[in-house]
Amino acid sequence: MTKSKDTIYSEYRERVADFIFDEKVASVFDDMIRRSVPGYATVIAMTKVFAEHYAQADSVCYDLGCSLGASTLAMRKGIDKPGCKIIAVDNSPAMVKQCSEVIAADDSIVPVEVRLCDIQDVPIENASVVVMNFTLQFLSPDRRDAMIQKIYDGFRPGGVLLLSEKIAFADSDKQMFETDMYHEFKKLMGYSDTEVAQKRKALEKVLLPETLDAHRMRLKNAGFAKTYLWFQCFNFMSLAAFKE
Ligand code: GEK
């Protein structure tokens, strides 16, 4: 996996364009996400734990919005049941190209298919584990219900969805507190005020966070019987949602 440092927003720009997952982002993505998502390493490490516990024999595990394949690799190393395969999906050609190289260089035995495709277009079938680590947030909010419903419908009994997202807070004081702490985290990770401000601007119309309640409600409406908040650090969280 590439280890280049993310300096994409280090130079001041008159105009900041909307964020896209292009070649430039893919080449620094590992560094970018580790320094931008507090607890990212924990979420990835625990993805392995979830896969180990919930993957079922002869089922499919999905990594939706796989980027460079960190969650795919975690699942691949965690799955210990026979007959499983992983389908990793991303709609960024640059990410899929690099992800395929990362997977090819890994010698775990679980078969992985990396697909260049919109997660909304991939059929979900015979699923025991579906991982959506920080991806639903990039879908237009009016498409999110259908996406979650499709995942629910594709589960086998006992299936688990790992849904990790940046979140917003209904209470304005709490929103301010979590955002301030998040920006402190980014500064501690080596990002300058200019980088933080420009990245924020670039993501403004692209990454649309919702509240924890909104996520829970959507999952419930889709049919998920239980949702547990198993991780939260500032304005980032992860839910485990169970079909039954
Ligand atoms: C990780 N899960 O390292 N269809 C397919 N892919 C999409 C779509 C879409 N509609 N929208 C966005 N993406 C990863 C990190 S990053 C999170 C996920 C972040 C892809 C997009 O190309 C990018 O690779 C990924 O979702 C989101 O565990 O950058 O904050």
Side-chain angles (χ1 to χ4, degrees):
M1 194 175 285
T2 178
K3 296 287 178 201
S4 307
K5 187 168 188 225
D6 169 26
T7 55
I8 291 177
Y9 292 100
S10 57
E11 301 284 316
Y12 174 76
R13 301 170 190 193
E14 277 300 320
R15 201 187 141 270
V16 180
D18 284 349
F19 188 85
I20 49 166
F21 291 97
D22 58 8
E23 190 75 46
K24 222 164 141 185
V25 168
S27 70
V28 298
F29 187 74
D30 187 49
D31 178 68
M32 175 186 277
I33 195 153
R34 282 172 199 282
R35 292 200 289 134
S36 303
V37 175
Y40 175 76
T42 301
V43 171
I44 297 301
M46 295 310 126
T47 297
K48 179 180 173 189
V49 175
F50 276 96
E52 189 162 7
H53 194 75
Y54 289 104
Q56 300 174 19
D58 304 314
S59 71
V60 186
C61 300
Y62 291 86
D63 180 5
L64 303 179
C66 60
S67 299
L68 302 186
S71 305
T72 296
L73 281 189
M75 279 200 279
R76 201 182 196 194
K77 291 179 196 307
I79 295 169
D80 59 1
K81 308 292 184 310
C84 288
K85 79 165 178 180
I86 300 173
I87 297 181
V89 184
D90 206 289
N91 66 354
S92 154
M95 291 292 192
V96 165
K97 183 171 175 290
Q98 283 200 41
C99 182
S100 302
E101 291 166 10
V102 168
I103 301 302
D106 173 70
D107 60 2
S108 320
I109 52 166
V110 178
V112 177
E113 189 189 320
V114 185
R115 284 193 198 165
L116 173 61
C117 151
D118 194 299
I119 55 170
Q120 297 167 100
D121 298 331
V122 68
I124 309 284
E125 287 157 347
N126 190 28
S128 60
V129 180
V130 176
V131 172
M132 207 163 13
N133 280 339
F134 312 108
T135 303
L136 190 68
Q137 59 198 19
F138 291 106
L139 240 55
S140 156
D142 62 336
R143 315 294 286 272
R144 296 179 189 180
D145 287 1
M147 186 67 224
I148 293 294
Q149 190 64 60
K150 183 173 75 161
I151 294 171
Y152 177 84
D153 293 343
F155 266 126
R156 288 157 66 123
V160 66
L161 165 65
L162 219 57
L163 177 65
S164 309
E165 289 274 290
K166 184 175 188 180
I167 52 168
F169 299 87
D171 180 274
S172 57
D173 276 357
K174 187 155 170 65
Q175 176 68 43
M176 205 182 300
F177 161 73
E178 301 287 4
T179 308
D180 285 351
M181 294 310 291
Y182 174 49
H183 288 161
E184 282 306 326
F185 163 81
K186 288 197 77 167
K187 280 200 240 167
L188 204 70
M189 290 292 113
Y191 285 117
S192 67
D193 288 338
T194 304
E195 284 175 297
V196 172
Q198 296 192 141
K199 177 84 178 288
R200 189 180 188 178
K201 179 94 191 109
L203 284 171
E204 202 168 63
K205 298 195 206 92
V206 179
L207 191 173
L208 302 169
E210 295 173 297
T211 62
L212 181 54
D213 282 351
H215 284 294
R216 281 201 156 124
M217 189 56 73
R218 176 177 296 115
L219 292 162
K220 187 167 185 246
N221 290 342
F224 284 95
K226 289 179 293 193
T227 38
Y228 296 142
L229 179 70
W230 68 270
F231 171 86
Q232 187 180 349
C233 183
F234 305 136
N235 46 350
F236 290 82
M237 64 87 199
S238 190
L239 286 167
F242 299 88
K243 178 143 190 167
E244 53 199 18

